[in-house]
Amino acid sequence: MASQPVRSDSLPTAYDPRAVEERWYRFWEEKGLFRGDPDPSRPAFCVVIPPPNVTGSLHMGHALNNTLQDILVRMRRMQGYSTLWLPGTDHAGIATQVVVENELAREGKTRHQLGREKFLERVWQWKEKYGGLITRQLRRLGASCDWSRERFTMDPGCSRAVREVFVRLFERGLIYRGHYIINWCPRCQTALSDLEVEHQETEGRLWYLRYPLEGGGEVVVATTRPETMLGDTAVAVHPEDVRYLPFLGRHAVLPLVGRRLPIVADPAVDRTFGTGAVKVTPAHDPDDFEMGRRHGLAMVKVIGEDGRMTPQAGPAFAGLTREEARLRVLEQLRAQGLVVREEAHRHAVGHCQRCGTVVEPLVSLQWFVRMKPLAEPAIAAVREGRIRFVPERFASHYFHWMENVRDWCISRQLWWGHRIPVWYCSDCGKASASVEDLASCPACGSPRIEQDPDVLDTWFSSALWPFSTLGWPQSTPELRFYYPTSVLVTGFDIIFFWVARMIVMGLAFMGDVPFRDVLVHGLVRDALGRKMSKSKGTGVDPLDVMDQYGADALRFTLVNGVGLGNDVRWHPERVEAFRNFANKLWNAARFALLHLEPVQQPPPPQGQLPLEDRWILSRLQRAVEETSRLLERYDLGEAARVLYDFVWDELCDWYIELVKPRLQPEAPAASRGTAQQVLWHVLECTVRLLHPFMPFITEEIWQRLAPLGPRSGEFPSVMVAPWPGVEPARRDPEAEEQMQELMAVVRAIRNVRAEKGVPVGRRVPAIVQAHPRTLELLRQHQGAVVRLAGLSELRLEPAGGPRPAQAVPAVAGPGAEVFLPLAGLLDVEEELRRLNRELAELERNLKRWSSMLESPDFLQRAPAEVVASTRRKKEQAETARQRLVEQMEQLKALASR
């Protein structure tokens, strides 16, 4: 049975996200409101989800990324676009294979024991059982994806696209097989992309080694990896380093091996590292590999795929692990007096993202994409503005990588993934690429052919995502209507690995860019700015947050006030604040529904409305204009802040409080009816504005409000109700200015009451001295000021008159000054005693914090965040002390009058 929306004139006394979220998500899905079908009568808006790993579960990065996408998609849907948010997952070659191999290991089995076919069957079984976890969690977040179009990078359609692209690039000579330096994981036994390598700062050693020169003399090189010296084929110096100009053209003799090493000049050498002379090991270092190609150096591979030394390392070292070889090399070098010195050296060491093994750069026979010809049109597309990066600064990152792009290693030594569609003939030796599986060699007809055992890099299939998911290579209605997609929302850390490659592939196979805009966001970090990590105890599970506070509060926390492209700092108190914001909106709606009757028409023209109605309608227009403008320029954080301020401050704290007397049953019917029209209109419009940010609570409220309005029953959900439009006739600068004057008086009185500790329920008198225009405005709205400021009476006097004796003054804008008599506020002597006690406590804390900050031991030993916190506390206490002293002097002066 389909879920039915709850329609009632009232709301429960408290907002419970758990009672709302699952029900409304089920309703949206069952009504088909997420579906994105091509509709030529409307403009297209399409977003493809950055496919999370099928092995994954929701983390804060996913929550941020998908919240941003959902806000944009929900807004466009409400604006009438034919909207498609296309979801899917990535097969995550290494990650998934590792998960399943670990399962097998617990059973005492290996993939090799199962064989390739049985192992792949096991992986598919795992995928069917566990692979939908993250998509279920995205539903929990409120993601309004068209789940009927969910794709997987290894489903039949995507697999067909992968083969088509591979074969076409192969036939154009843009895919080739060759020896190249790659990242290799000895544990996972596969090549890795740069993104799959995590560089960890490590405390290591730097050894200075003597290399004898032919004809006498020596050159000293510095290295962090002595074991690789066995594969050295040159020594390099910078061509402008005058220290080594006499060495050029000479040869060194490689210790322990005896190999002649030419001394070459190369501008890539860092003259400030070590001695300025570097050993060159082309088979085991990316920079050395490029240097070796420039100088025609030999590639001597002394470390194998298993992480052990090869026979080329020499009989004394062959078969040793890298660590064992290092110790033996150093032992022999010391015995020969060739170690000059060693020193501590902190440097970044690459580790496999999946298993943590130290990665080995190796020259290996792999498949590559020739990138430079493909990169040129991709660079032009961004330079010419056909693709826009937001914020624009990230375009420079894109250009830097694309203009220095290297060929892309696309083969992986795995079983799970898209198997490379190349077959080798045992008879004629030809390699043939084919979209369809081959049974015989196309060149000679021999049946003795074998498919390449490797699979493609996961990023290869992901690079096709914007068009493979829409049905390419078929010319589907979806592909024709929705391609190019509208905007890609992504983190800055995959601009090189994914965004750039999608641009390359889109231009190469669709003849057009894959998306018009790239919205780049930062990372979600902990309160101290550190990258979140569960293992380090700094991670936060978004599912736990949603359990406690609700999805809307989490979404608003991740977005509100965050600048374009900036990182998000996670402060638990912020999510509590936005949970309170949801409650504030809930209580406002609950109050309204208790006092509303069916509204058959919009509010009357501005000229026929009281000041508070004119003001809130004008402020609503500004909120509509600002929110729409900011969302169009992707400044979602600022848009959320605008809405927060409007709802909390202007709608709830001011307008609803001002209009309460007019909504009571005893109020005049005409005034009550107008107040109901305005309140319904403002609240219903506000709920629509907030919907993209907080979809669940806004749906629950809107379903109660909509039946009371003039368009009752026209739309089944707020998510397909129209986005609020601008009504220029409602802009009312005069009403805004007058309300600002009234609010300034009330705020000034409230501030004095708060500073003096006057109880909330205690009514006190006040005197306002103001210019004639302001006095007239205050007379017209005297009752509202008295009620909102908690006054027993309000005396109005012309500006410039005698200042009331023994009264606390406060400025209320340029046209008014407020005075609150001390007799109505506090016992001066008691207040002075209280302030003295507070000052003494501040002085004690200041002394303690100052002492800590003057201690070299504290500054050196305490964590940086503790030192910074102590410094902040001291600065805040100094400011508070100054304020207390001023308050005490003011009280003494008033008491003496």
Side-chain angles (χ1 to χ4, degrees):
M1 175 185 258
S3 304
Q4 295 300 316
V6 176
R7 297 178 186 272
S8 170
D9 290 340
S10 63
L11 293 170
T13 54
Y15 176 57
D16 180 4
R18 290 168 295 186
V20 168
E21 294 176 353
E22 183 180 352
R23 170 163 47 84
W24 283 121
Y25 200 91
R26 189 167 62 249
F27 171 75
W28 294 328
E29 279 204 274
E30 290 172 352
K31 291 291 184 182
L33 301 181
F34 298 156
R35 283 195 62 86
D37 296 317
D39 181 354
S41 68
R42 296 187 290 155
F45 184 79
C46 180
V47 177
V48 292
I49 202 169
N53 287 354
V54 73
T55 58
S57 60
L58 194 71
H59 58 61
M60 277 298 179
H62 293 133
L64 171 62
N65 180 269
N66 287 280
T67 294
L68 297 175
Q69 291 176 82
D70 197 39
I71 290 169
L72 297 173
V73 168
R74 288 179 182 270
M75 177 191 69
R76 290 299 190 211
R77 192 182 285 121
M78 295 175 76
Q79 289 177 331
Y81 283 71
S82 179
T83 303
L84 171 62
W85 186 13
L86 201 152
T89 51
D90 190 283
H91 64 278
I94 294 178
T96 306
Q97 181 155 321
V98 167
V99 166
V100 178
E101 284 196 74
N102 288 340
E103 273 193 356
L104 290 173
R106 287 192 289 272
E107 300 170 12
K109 303 174 185 175
T110 69
R111 64 181 166 110
H112 297 285
Q113 290 172 333
L114 264 66
R116 187 167 192 143
E117 287 188 14
K118 291 292 184 183
F119 176 76
L120 291 178
E121 286 177 13
R122 181 71 176 260
V123 180
W124 278 107
Q125 289 169 6
W126 183 94
K127 187 264 179 187
E128 293 306 315
K129 186 174 181 180
Y130 300 107
L133 174 64
I134 195 164
T135 58
R136 292 192 294 273
Q137 293 170 338
L138 287 173
R139 287 173 167 87
R140 177 82 188 280
L141 186 69
S144 59
C145 300
D146 183 351
W147 297 108
S148 69
R149 298 181 183 275
E150 184 177 350
R151 303 301 298 270
F152 177 54
T153 48
M154 284 186 63
D155 66 27
C158 289
S159 294
R160 174 77 182 193
V162 166
R163 282 202 171 188
E164 285 278 356
V165 166
F166 184 97
V167 171
R168 294 188 195 185
L169 290 174
F170 181 87
E171 291 173 346
R172 290 168 57 187
L174 293 173
I175 281 184
Y176 67 93
R177 195 178 187 218
H179 288 88
Y180 204 84
I181 193 87
I182 48 92
N183 301 305
W184 180 266
C185 176
R187 160 66 181 79
C188 297
Q189 287 287 291
T190 183
L192 303 174
S193 72
D194 290 342
L195 192 63
E196 293 162 331
V197 178
E198 291 185 345
H199 292 277
Q200 302 173 11
E201 286 293 321
T202 304
E203 293 294 344
R205 308 293 291 172
L206 186 64
W207 288 272
Y208 290 78
L209 310 177
R210 290 189 176 93
Y211 281 24
L213 292 174
E214 287 184 342
E218 65 182 20
V219 61
V220 177
V221 301
T223 181
T224 59
R225 303 188 65 202
E227 68 276 12
T228 64
M229 67 171 289
L230 303 171
D232 286 359
T233 55
V235 172
V237 298
H238 194 279
E240 297 175 2
D241 192 334
V242 295
R243 295 174 297 173
Y244 294 108
L245 292 180
F247 290 69
L248 296 178
R250 297 184 65 182
H251 286 76
V253 178
L254 181 61
L256 311 185
V257 177
R259 185 181 303 126
R260 296 178 75 240
L261 307 179
I263 298 178
V264 299
D266 196 286
V269 174
D270 180 0
R271 284 177 282 185
T272 65
F273 176 77
T275 64
V278 298
K279 54 190 283 303
V280 183
T281 317
H284 296 285
D285 181 275
D287 294 327
D288 290 6
F289 177 80
E290 296 296 338
M291 204 181 302
R293 295 212 299 184
R294 286 193 291 272
H295 297 279
L297 302 176
M299 307 275 176
V300 179
K301 188 173 179 180
V302 295
I303 302 174
E305 283 76 7
D306 58 359
R308 292 181 176 272
M309 307 307 287
T310 69
Q312 291 192 75
F317 305 100
L320 298 179
T321 66
R322 292 173 290 180
E323 296 76 17
E324 292 167 343
R326 176 176 300 179
L327 294 175
R328 187 168 294 183
V329 163
L330 288 170
E331 179 186 354
Q332 294 194 13
L333 288 173
R334 290 190 183 103
Q336 297 180 30
L338 296 176
V339 177
V340 178
R341 70 179 188 277
E342 64 179 271
E343 59 190 38
H345 180 69
R346 188 171 179 81
H347 62 132
V349 177
H351 290 71
C352 176
Q353 186 186 58
R354 300 301 168 190
C355 70
T357 302
V358 173
V359 168
E360 186 63 47
L362 291 179
V363 170
S364 179
L365 181 61
Q366 303 285 345
W367 286 95
F368 296 89
V369 175
R370 212 178 300 276
M371 289 297 293
K372 285 197 179 294
L374 294 168
E376 291 171 4
I379 293 170
V382 177
R383 289 214 184 277
E384 294 165 5
R386 286 181 284 148
I387 294 176
R388 178 175 62 130
F389 278 84
V390 182
E392 187 178 353
R393 68 179 184 271
F394 288 106
S396 62
H397 296 249
Y398 171 83
F399 289 134
H400 176 76
W401 190 74
M402 291 292 277
E403 289 167 354
N404 298 280
V405 71
R406 293 179 177 179
D407 287 354
W408 173 16
C409 176
I410 57 171
S411 48
R412 298 290 181 267
Q413 289 64 54
L414 304 170
W415 287 355
W416 172 246
H418 296 100
R419 193 166 176 181
I420 290 175
V422 172
W423 283 259
Y424 305 105
C425 179
S426 298
D427 291 335
C428 72
K430 184 175 175 60
S432 303
S434 173
V435 173
E436 306 296 340
D437 284 356
L438 295 179
S440 60
C441 175
C444 70
S446 170
R448 298 201 317 132
I449 61 171
E450 185 176 348
Q451 188 176 356
D452 194 299
D454 290 352
V455 299
L456 288 165
D457 176 14
T458 298
W459 293 105
F460 190 90
S461 50
S462 297
L464 320 183
W465 193 245
F467 56 91
S468 67
T469 53
L470 294 172
W472 188 91
Q474 303 300 315
S475 179
T476 63
E478 293 80 7
L479 187 64
R480 293 193 298 271
F481 184 74
Y482 285 118
Y483 190 93
T485 64
S486 306
V487 56
L488 176 78
V489 182
T490 186
F492 67 85
D493 50 339
I494 55 174
I495 289 175
F496 315 135
F497 307 107
W498 188 45
V499 179
R501 288 165 178 168
M502 282 191 289
I503 296 172
V504 161
M505 293 300 189
L507 290 167
F509 291 94
M510 292 297 298
D512 201 351
V513 297
F515 27 73
R516 301 300 184 194
D517 294 330
V518 181
L519 176 58
V520 183
H521 60 78
L523 302 177
V524 183
R525 299 183 180 274
D526 71 6
L528 297 175
R530 299 171 299 188
K531 191 172 182 179
M532 284 192 168
S533 167
K534 287 185 179 179
S535 62
K536 295 178 181 177
T538 59
V540 177
D541 189 335
L543 296 170
D544 292 341
V545 177
M546 288 189 282
D547 285 341
Q548 186 173 2
Y549 299 105
D552 290 328
L554 170 63
R555 290 165 61 113
F556 215 73
T557 302
L558 290 170
V559 175
N560 185 277
V562 178
L564 280 168
N566 292 348
D567 289 343
V568 179
R569 293 286 186 97
W570 182 261
H571 296 277
E573 59 271 21
R574 273 173 52 84
V575 73
E576 291 181 18
F578 294 124
R579 186 268 315 274
N580 295 341
F581 175 65
N583 290 335
K584 186 89 165 180
L585 176 67
W586 182 264
N587 290 331
R590 184 169 181 273
F591 167 82
L593 287 165
L594 291 171
H595 294 85
L596 287 178
E597 296 171 0
V599 176
Q600 300 303 323
Q601 57 189 14
Q606 290 291 93
Q608 301 175 22
L609 294 172
L611 173 61
E612 62 266 24
D613 292 350
R614 291 163 48 212
W615 170 74
I616 195 62
L617 288 169
S618 183
R619 295 305 300 166
L620 173 64
Q621 286 310 299
R622 292 187 185 275
V624 171
E625 292 174 31
E626 274 296 281
T627 302
S628 300
R629 181 185 67 83
L630 290 164
L631 287 175
E632 291 292 342
R633 62 190 294 262
Y634 299 120
D635 198 347
L636 280 62
E638 186 63 12
R641 189 199 61 76
V642 166
L643 288 175
Y644 177 90
D645 290 347
F646 174 75
V647 171
W648 189 288
D649 187 37
E650 296 175 334
L651 174 59
C652 295
D653 282 358
W654 287 101
Y655 180 70
I656 288 179
E657 294 302 318
L658 283 164
V659 84
K660 275 182 178 178
R662 294 169 54 203
L663 292 169
Q664 302 308 312
E666 62 273 15
S671 178
R672 186 168 188 263
T674 300
Q676 289 176 329
Q677 288 176 322
V678 172
L679 180 57
W680 182 90
H681 174 79
V682 173
L683 189 55
E684 192 273 343
C685 187
T686 300
V687 166
R688 282 186 281 143
L689 280 176
L690 265 173
H691 175 71
F693 297 87
M694 307 180 83
F696 294 108
I697 191 172
T698 52
E699 185 72 80
E700 182 77 2
I701 292 171
W702 187 88
Q703 292 287 354
R704 305 320 214 290
L705 280 174
L708 301 177
R711 301 173 72 175
S712 176
E714 187 172 350
F715 306 102
S717 164
V718 66
M719 71 180 287
V720 291
W723 182 253
V726 176
E727 299 178 72
R730 295 293 184 190
R731 296 191 187 118
D732 199 329
E734 182 184 27
E736 293 192 33
E737 183 180 348
Q738 291 178 349
M739 272 298 299
Q740 283 301 320
E741 290 188 65
L742 293 176
M743 290 159 66
V745 170
V746 173
R747 285 194 182 106
I749 296 170
R750 287 175 172 175
N751 288 342
V752 173
R753 291 176 61 110
E755 287 175 5
K756 304 308 175 189
V758 179
V760 175
R762 181 176 175 182
R763 295 191 170 275
V764 297
I767 304 154
V768 176
Q769 294 183 351
H771 298 302
R773 188 179 65 81
T774 303
L775 284 179
E776 180 58 30
L777 180 66
L778 288 168
R779 286 191 187 97
Q780 292 174 11
H781 301 279
Q782 191 163 353
V785 174
V786 167
R787 185 165 52 83
L788 294 177
L791 301 178
S792 58
E793 64 171 315
L794 175 62
R795 287 201 346 244
L796 302 175
E797 299 178 355
R803 295 165 67 88
Q806 293 195 345
V808 179
V811 176
E817 190 171 12
V818 170
F819 298 90
L820 272 70
L822 280 176
L825 295 178
L826 71 165
D827 180 328
V828 174
E829 294 302 323
E830 176 57 34
E831 180 66 5
L832 282 169
R833 284 193 290 272
R834 185 185 71 80
L835 293 177
N836 263 315
R837 290 194 297 271
E838 194 173 331
L839 181 61
E841 177 66 19
L842 269 177
E843 295 286 6
R844 282 193 294 273
N845 285 331
L846 268 171
K847 184 177 180 181
R848 178 165 59 89
W849 291 326
S850 297
S851 175
M852 292 168 67
L853 292 168
E854 289 167 3
S855 165
D857 188 57
F858 172 74
L859 295 175
Q860 291 172 8
R861 292 176 178 269
E865 58 266 26
V866 173
V867 175
S869 174
T870 305
R871 190 168 283 118
R872 282 196 303 273
K873 288 176 184 176
K874 178 175 178 287
E875 292 169 354
Q876 291 166 357
E878 287 171 340
T879 302
R881 178 178 60 182
Q882 180 63 29
R883 188 174 64 249
L884 278 177
V885 170
E886 290 172 357
Q887 284 182 327
M888 293 169 69
E889 289 174 351
Q890 184 185 57
L891 278 175
K892 291 173 183 176
L894 287 168
S896 66
R897 288 181 183 174

